[in-house]
Amino acid sequence: LRVAGGLVAVVAGVLTGVLELLLATLRVAGQLIGVSVLVAVGANIALGWFAHQAVGRRWSVALPAVPWFLLMAVAAVRTSEGDLLLAGDNWVGLVMIVAGAMTFAVMGFRQILAPPPSPLG
């Protein structure tokens, strides 16, 4: 069950990253809105919590975080055709990356510093 939970956390990290990238370009009346930032923070908190609960290890926050970071890095690189998923002039995308990364960092920091569970429960 721990392996299955870890796989679900990895897949969920990829799926939420794709959703956040799609929402990073969302506009209302021609103006970018920051809904992907809120999704990034909320989803990354939920993913960090789920990974820890499912796997039961303090390092488990890395399971959704690593594919999320890789996806964001790939999205910021221009292809040979000139395509770019996350442009540097998109403030929402930049804030989303910073907020998402900080959320994973805080979740990992909290899990590492948490006291070990007592043997009595």
Side-chain angles (χ1 to χ4, degrees):
L1 285 177
R2 289 181 186 210
V3 172
L7 289 174
V8 168
V10 169
V11 170
V14 171
L15 292 177
T16 59
V18 169
L19 175 65
E20 292 159 18
L21 286 171
L22 291 172
L23 293 176
T25 59
L26 187 62
R27 295 176 184 268
V28 172
Q31 298 295 320
L32 287 170
I33 59 173
V35 70
S36 67
V37 176
L38 300 174
V39 171
V41 171
N44 293 355
I45 289 172
L47 287 174
W49 174 85
F50 173 78
H52 182 66
Q53 294 297 315
V55 177
R57 299 284 188 253
R58 293 176 183 222
W59 54 264
S60 60
V61 71
L63 291 172
V66 169
W68 187 88
F69 282 119
L70 291 175
L71 188 60
M72 294 303 150
V74 167
V77 174
R78 190 174 302 277
T79 65
S80 59
E81 293 84 15
D83 298 331
L84 186 62
L85 291 175
L86 210 65
D89 62 349
N90 182 347
W91 69 268
V92 175
L94 298 175
V95 173
M96 177 191 67
I97 290 174
V98 171
M102 289 187 68
T103 303
F104 275 128
V106 168
M107 292 297 292
F109 187 71
R110 289 189 66 206
Q111 290 174 5
I112 289 170
L113 291 182
S118 67
L120 299 177

